[in-house]
Amino acid sequence: MRVAVVGAGAIGAYVGAALHRAGADVHLIARGPHLAAMRQHGVQVLSPRGDFTARVHATDDPAAIGPVDYVFLGLKANSYAACGPLVHPLLHAHTAVVAAQNGIPWWYFHGLRGPYEGRRIESVDPDGAVSAVLPPHRAIGCVVYAATELQGPGVVRHLEGTRFSIGEPDPSGPGADGSKRCQEFSEAMRAGGLKCPVEPDVRNDIWIKLLGNIAFNPLSALSRATMAQICRHDDTRALVTTMMRETLAVAEAVGCRPDVSVERRLAGAERVGEHKTSTLQDLERGKPLELDVLLAAVVELAALTGTRVPKLCAIHAVTDLLARTLRSAA
């Protein structure tokens, strides 16, 4: 099995190192000092489960790799529309793209029976720019429950979690939960020491994880507060609760009923402690804010289905202005 990791940052390099340990033919695509370190020393993984080094092939030239069976996308979702030059040299007729993204994916309505089947979500796939680069039929959904960070060039610190839930966009097509390509990828991930269940409907996992991201990520960017601080402040805790309930209403309106408790999600977030969300970290580093797939897409789905989400709309308005202001300043 040949795998290319496009965007071999903290998560991508961690997955690539695990697949390499399982015996897969893995190629990492990165750049800068991180690429140089991986070329010289391999991927060094520091983990409570045991440290190890994986001597994985790393390059900045996908043409030097050629077609692979799986492309694992470790990029931020707001980079997908521009990733064609990195991805196209890696594709053959049956290459699958495992998109490890937060939020609502560009393929969400692909193969989903009902009134919105095949509909494009403009917030995440403007004018079809992402679908043109990453055709939805190639996609395998992936929800990441692992936490990693780059401690330095070529050095990945694994903090917690090893679960990567995957599943086919079309639950009734050649891909449902018994899909050969999902099973093959799952087996390789598990052989590398990771959890990789094949879900009969990965959209449930998407909404369960989104429930936390949609509230804590934008609020942390606006307040500069950690997850625990947001939870301990009575008014923001109440705001998070309302945002989560509005999100569940949108999920139900598009036909998904995730089995999750708002109270349990809040309690779990508070246990995480003084953690800065990825959006707050991006803000502090001057990087673009990945809020279209987390918040704008849900507001768009609310409008599509006639679902009232006043708190989500208000927070979206303010964070969208923040993102635009940052882009102008840059």
Side-chain angles (χ1 to χ4, degrees), residues 168-330:
E168 291 281 355
D170 186 348
S172 62
D177 58 330
S179 129
K180 181 180 177 182
R181 64 181 189 170
C182 280
Q183 293 294 345
E184 181 183 53
F185 189 78
S186 171
E187 289 168 8
M189 292 280 277
R190 288 188 283 113
L194 304 178
K195 296 177 182 178
C196 190
V198 180
E199 302 291 349
D201 188 353
V202 74
R203 290 174 180 82
N204 282 313
D205 283 68
I206 288 171
W207 285 103
I208 288 171
K209 186 170 183 186
L210 178 58
L211 207 61
N213 289 146
I214 199 170
F216 288 103
N217 286 56
L219 291 181
S220 68
L222 294 173
S223 65
R224 310 299 200 271
T226 65
M227 292 175 69
Q229 288 171 325
I230 293 170
C231 287
R232 289 196 299 262
H233 186 275
D234 289 345
D235 289 340
T236 52
R237 187 183 186 93
L239 179 57
V240 167
T241 299
T242 301
M243 292 175 71
M244 286 184 175
R245 288 174 177 162
E246 289 183 355
T247 301
L248 287 175
V250 176
E252 185 171 352
V254 293
C256 194
R257 293 173 176 79
D259 183 16
V260 61
S261 160
V262 169
E263 290 69 26
R264 287 186 63 184
R265 291 295 278 118
L266 267 170
E270 192 167 9
R271 282 195 301 271
V272 170
E274 305 304 330
H275 171 71
K276 293 182 179 180
T277 69
S278 59
T279 303
L280 178 53
Q281 293 179 48
D282 286 344
L283 178 66
E284 292 178 340
R285 294 168 183 165
K287 295 182 177 181
L289 304 185
E290 189 187 31
L291 290 176
D292 287 344
V293 294
L294 299 181
L295 183 53
V298 178
V299 170
E300 182 178 340
L301 293 178
L304 175 66
T305 58
T307 307
R308 290 194 70 255
V309 289
K311 291 295 191 293
L312 292 180
C313 287
I315 298 301
H316 168 56
V318 181
T319 53
D320 185 59
L321 177 58
L322 172 63
R324 290 168 185 262
T325 303
L326 292 172
R327 286 197 297 269
S328 297

Side-chain angles (χ1 to χ4, degrees), residues 2-135:
R2 300 193 81 222
V3 182
V5 178
V6 176
I11 283 291
Y14 179 61
V15 168
L19 289 171
H20 177 79
R21 287 213 299 178
D25 179 14
V26 179
H27 305 267
L28 306 180
I29 298 173
R31 60 186 180 182
H34 181 51
L35 171 60
M38 291 192 294
R39 279 174 163 168
Q40 186 171 359
H41 304 293
V43 179
Q44 300 177 63
V45 177
L46 309 178
S47 171
R49 307 171 73 235
D51 302 345
F52 69 94
T53 298
R55 298 282 181 175
V56 188
H57 174 244
T59 181
D60 58 359
D61 181 12
I65 300 170
V68 298
D69 301 307
Y70 295 89
V71 172
F72 184 90
L73 280 184
L75 302 169
K76 293 276 191 178
N78 48 18
S79 300
Y80 285 2
C83 75
L86 294 175
V87 172
H88 288 163
L90 305 170
L91 302 179
H92 59 57
H94 303 293
T95 302
V97 176
V98 182
Q101 72 162 92
N102 287 322
I104 302 295
W106 80 100
W107 52 259
Y108 190 86
F109 287 121
H110 174 69
L112 184 64
R113 305 296 180 265
Y116 308 116
E117 181 176 2
R119 189 181 183 95
R120 187 177 73 242
I121 303 173
E122 195 68 22
S123 302
V124 299
D125 190 11
D127 297 324
V130 176
S131 293
V133 174
L134 305 170

